Amino acid sequence: MKSIILAAGCGTRLKNLTTVTPKCMVEILEKPIISYQLQIIKALEIEEINIITGYMNKKIIIDDINLIFNKDYSFTNMVYSLFCAKEILNSGEDILISYGDIIYSKELLSKFMKSNYDVNIAIDIGWKRYWQERMNNPLEDAETLKLDDKQNILEIGNKPNSYSEIDGQYIGLLKIKSHIAKKLNLIWDKLHKNNNYEDASFNQMYMTAFIQHLISLGIEV
């Protein structure tokens, strides 16, 4: 398995914390955010780690890690950054994809490693509690995420009208089996560059919109 960590964004919502450092290098408990997941990935012996950089890329200095620069980071989003690693997606390996600003447990990643499903994503079913700490109305920021009785995702990434449309929130971690990963470049290339995807342009496409597109193609997530 190979890992792709998406860390090109500017982190504007963290304001003064990211004026002098990229978001993945912001410290929590005296340790950069990205260090937490790198420690887990290495402990589980994932063979190759790749980080897609962009904003303040020269401040991301990590030994034994392949860095890939998204030169268009200032006007693109997560999906565009992912496809800066087209060769890795075509490598014939299972691919772990994660945002550079998340922290997760070793137990969670171990479950991903053992799963034989084509596409797995991690969701947080306890999201509402801390969303309420951040804002008065969590529905303004949350996205739809509907599951069927087999835990397959039916819908993700739209604007919810009620909490009944939210079975959890995507945390920015997914694993894709090798035979699906090989198809992603073709799926990406076939998308219409002038269309909007869930109210975002092609370059600004959110990962949830791309996941929803995979579902629409009949790929189980």
Side-chain angles (χ1 to χ4, degrees):
M1 182 185 297
K2 297 187 177 186
S3 171
I4 300 174
I5 300 174
L6 306 175
C10 299
T12 54
R13 290 201 290 187
L14 292 185
K15 298 179 180 177
N16 60 311
L17 293 177
T18 50
T19 57
V20 295
T21 190
K23 184 163 59 169
C24 69
M25 299 300 290
V26 171
E27 292 189 354
I28 293 180
L29 300 178
E30 301 180 350
K31 186 175 176 180
I33 293 173
I34 200 168
S35 295
Y36 289 93
Q37 57 178 298
L38 289 176
Q39 182 177 356
I40 293 170
I41 291 170
K42 290 177 179 179
L44 292 177
E45 298 182 348
I46 292 175
E47 64 184 62
E48 180 183 303
I49 304 173
N50 304 274
I51 301 178
I52 313 301
T53 68
Y55 177 68
M56 293 193 178
N57 66 305
K58 293 184 178 179
K59 291 196 173 184
I60 302 176
I61 304 173
I62 305 171
D63 293 335
D64 302 320
I65 301 293
N66 182 36
L67 303 180
I68 301 170
F69 180 54
N70 173 9
K71 61 182 177 57
D72 301 319
Y73 72 86
S74 62
F75 60 87
T76 60
N77 212 327
M78 291 291 190
V79 180
Y80 188 99
S81 286
L82 173 62
F83 285 97
C84 290
K86 286 187 173 185
E87 291 184 4
I88 297 164
L89 295 174
N90 275 337
S91 66
E93 300 282 344
D94 292 354
I95 306 293
L96 177 74
I97 301 166
S98 62
Y99 294 178
D101 60 349
I102 63 172
I103 296 174
Y104 51 82
S105 69
K106 185 177 180 180
E107 290 74 20
L108 175 60
L109 191 53
S110 294
K111 289 182 180 179
F112 268 46
M113 299 279 286
K114 294 172 184 176
S115 173
N116 286 318
Y117 291 106
D118 285 347
V119 181
N120 289 266
I121 78 168
I123 69 169
D124 185 353
I125 61 173
W127 68 278
K128 189 176 176 183
R129 173 179 55 82
Y130 57 89
W131 243 258
Q132 289 173 329
E133 295 290 331
R134 296 168 55 208
M135 58 195 67
N136 292 326
N137 182 11
L139 279 178
E140 291 181 354
D141 190 58
E143 298 178 320
T144 60
L145 196 155
K146 299 178 184 179
L147 302 172
D148 66 15
D149 57 3
K150 295 180 180 179
Q151 298 297 90
N152 291 319
I153 293 178
L154 301 174
E155 178 186 322
I156 187 171
N158 292 316
K159 189 72 176 173
N161 294 310
S162 70
Y163 290 112
S164 65
E165 298 177 287
I166 307 173
D167 292 326
Q169 287 292 277
Y170 170 59
I171 72 165
L173 181 68
L174 64 157
K175 189 194 81 171
I176 301 177
K177 295 290 285 184
S178 59
H179 68 282
I180 298 294
K182 281 185 171 183
K183 297 177 181 179
L184 293 185
N185 287 323
L186 181 59
I187 291 171
W188 169 252
D189 289 338
K190 284 186 175 181
L191 290 172
H192 294 290
K193 307 301 185 287
N194 295 323
N195 285 1
N196 279 354
Y197 299 88
E198 293 179 7
D199 298 324
S201 68
F202 175 80
N203 286 340
Q204 287 285 331
M205 187 189 303
Y206 296 105
M207 190 63 70
T208 51
F210 190 67
I211 293 170
Q212 183 66 64
H213 182 62
L214 296 181
I215 295 168
S216 72
L217 295 176
I219 297 172
E220 288 190 346
V221 178

